[in-house]
Amino acid sequence: MTVKTPPTLNIGGLGADPLTQRIKEKQKEWTYKIAVLSGKGGVGKSTVAVNLATALAKKGFFVGVLDADVHGPNVAKMLGVDKEQVLAEKLDDGRFEMIPPMNDFMGQTTPIKVMSMGFLVGEDQPIIWRGPLVTKAVKQLLGDVKWGSLDFMVIDFPPGTGDQILTVIQSINLDAAIIVTTPQEVALLDTGKAVNMMKQMNVPYIAVIENMSYLICPHCGNEIDIFGKGGGEKLAKKEGVDFLGKIPIDLKAREASDLGIPIVLNEESQASKAFMEIIENLIPKLEALKKEEGNE
Ligand code: ADP
């Protein structure tokens, strides 16, 4: 008698499929895994992810950046690499692993390794994949890439609180979630949801960064609060999570993104100073958490 087994949808959430297993192995070599998220699009999430990663690499840390934002995968462009630079290596078991392109901005940072959803599809092609496909693609970018040993793995997730995010987060043990918002009320409602999602996922360290907080008037040097004031800090307090700092609107930040040279490398810029201060806040917090974990 033949028994027909029902087809199973293997998106790697719970079972130990080989890809999830490979992710588990790889992440043993990454000291800190950080997700950068936002409640809604256009708040500067990718800009923050790229600049935090570059700030860490400027301090001498080994950093990998994974652009998992299927809606606008432009992190690679912001970091000055493209898919032509992706190489592949054949492994003993016949599988191929992708070798991530790197940029060290002419020696200003340690080489930052970058992989992106944009490498799998054209950058200018809107991605209309179904959820399980997206999840699989992101997981391949984690598990089928020669990342090697990293101090920080920074993952830029798509905005919102969708299932794709949850499934990927289940396959990696995030150390931190950084949620980017702008100061105005509408953005904050969505940010609150993102914070709560991370709480439900038991991410050990959750913090808010407020982007586009104010504009420094190029004429008088005063701060102008275009999108309101203090919202990010208020939200962090209400949710009982850390507030890591504010990034001003800097016209050069957009130009820098387009040129593939993150604004944090321009030491004259106020945004650069803000990013460096933020990582000075962040690093000791993460180190303290690891120490606590080690003592448990
Ligand atoms: P998201 O990832 O949230 O969709 P992006 O990081 O792509 O947002 O940013 C959206 C736009 O805003 C980009 O053109 C970016 O260069 C610009 N931008 C982001 N942060 C700043 C800032 N602090 N100052 C000036 N422009 C910014």
Side-chain angles (χ1 to χ4, degrees):
M1 188 179 74
T2 47
V3 180
K4 208 171 171 198
T5 38
T8 49
L9 184 66
N10 189 4
I11 55 168
L14 299 170
D17 65 290
L19 180 55
T20 304
Q21 206 51 46
R22 289 200 290 278
I23 297 173
K24 257 196 194 137
E25 283 305 310
K26 297 231 170 221
Q27 63 178 302
K28 288 181 188 159
E29 288 189 277
W30 312 331
T31 311
Y32 298 106
K33 286 143 290 186
I34 302 180
V36 182
L37 307 133
S38 65
K40 67 190 205 76
V43 297
K45 171 180 56 66
S46 300
T47 305
V48 170
V50 159
N51 281 286
L52 288 182
T54 310
L56 289 164
K58 192 165 179 258
K59 296 268 304 172
F61 292 109
F62 287 101
V63 183
V65 182
L66 171 57
D67 182 4
D69 188 348
V70 61
H71 302 298
N74 36 24
V75 161
K77 186 174 180 216
M78 290 178 176
L79 283 166
V81 298
D82 62 53
K83 71 173 179 188
E84 307 305 318
Q85 295 165 272
V86 182
L87 301 173
E89 185 180 301
K90 194 169 181 184
L91 306 181
D92 292 342
D93 63 5
R95 282 187 309 110
F96 281 91
E97 275 204 335
M98 291 176 274
I99 302 173
M102 294 191 270
N103 199 351
D104 69 352
F105 306 96
M106 304 187 48
Q108 291 184 78
T109 68
T110 55
I112 302 175
K113 296 180 178 172
V114 188
M115 280 306 288
S116 169
M117 289 292 279
F119 294 159
L120 303 183
V121 287
E123 234 177 83
D124 47 359
Q125 237 175 294
I127 304 178
I128 37 171
W129 292 0
R130 284 175 304 113
L133 270 185
V134 172
T135 309
K136 179 89 191 294
V138 175
K139 287 177 72 175
Q140 279 194 309
L141 291 176
L142 285 162
D144 289 338
V145 169
K146 228 178 153 62
W147 287 106
S149 147
L150 298 172
D151 296 309
F152 289 88
M153 167 63 95
V154 178
I155 307 173
D156 183 18
F157 277 102
T161 44
D163 284 354
Q164 303 152 15
I165 302 186
L166 296 182
T167 317
V168 173
I169 289 176
Q170 276 165 0
S171 69
I172 42 175
N173 297 322
L174 283 180
D175 296 287
I178 291 176
I179 294 142
V180 183
T181 185
T182 49
Q184 74 265 45
E185 294 289 327
V186 278
L188 292 173
L189 278 176
D190 295 322
T191 311
K193 283 186 204 157
V195 170
N196 279 306
M197 183 175 88
M198 290 301 107
K199 281 185 184 167
Q200 277 165 25
M201 301 292 292
N202 293 321
V203 177
Y205 179 75
I206 305 170
V208 172
I209 290 181
E210 190 183 274
N211 186 33
M212 308 200 218
S213 295
Y214 52 91
L215 174 73
I216 298 164
C217 172
H219 305 293
C220 65
N222 284 341
E223 292 179 9
I224 307 166
D225 302 313
I226 294 187
F227 296 126
K229 195 174 176 155
E233 201 162 1
K234 230 193 287 172
L235 177 100
K237 215 174 237 168
K238 179 170 160 249
E239 295 292 344
V241 298
D242 263 3
F243 181 71
L244 275 175
K246 300 184 204 179
I247 316 288
I249 296 172
D250 190 326
L251 301 180
K252 289 201 191 83
R254 194 195 47 75
E255 287 167 20
S257 293
D258 292 346
L259 288 171
I261 307 166
I263 187 70
V264 73
L265 296 175
N266 176 350
E267 283 170 9
E268 300 298 302
S269 122
Q270 292 295 326
S272 169
K273 287 178 191 139
F275 278 117
M276 290 315 289
E277 266 171 40
I278 282 177
I279 64 152
E280 295 298 346
N281 273 337
L282 175 65
I283 294 167
K285 301 236 156 104
L286 294 180
E287 284 172 347
L289 268 176
K290 273 277 171 226
K291 225 180 235 167
E292 251 173 55
E293 254 175 49
N295 291 340
E296 267 168 19

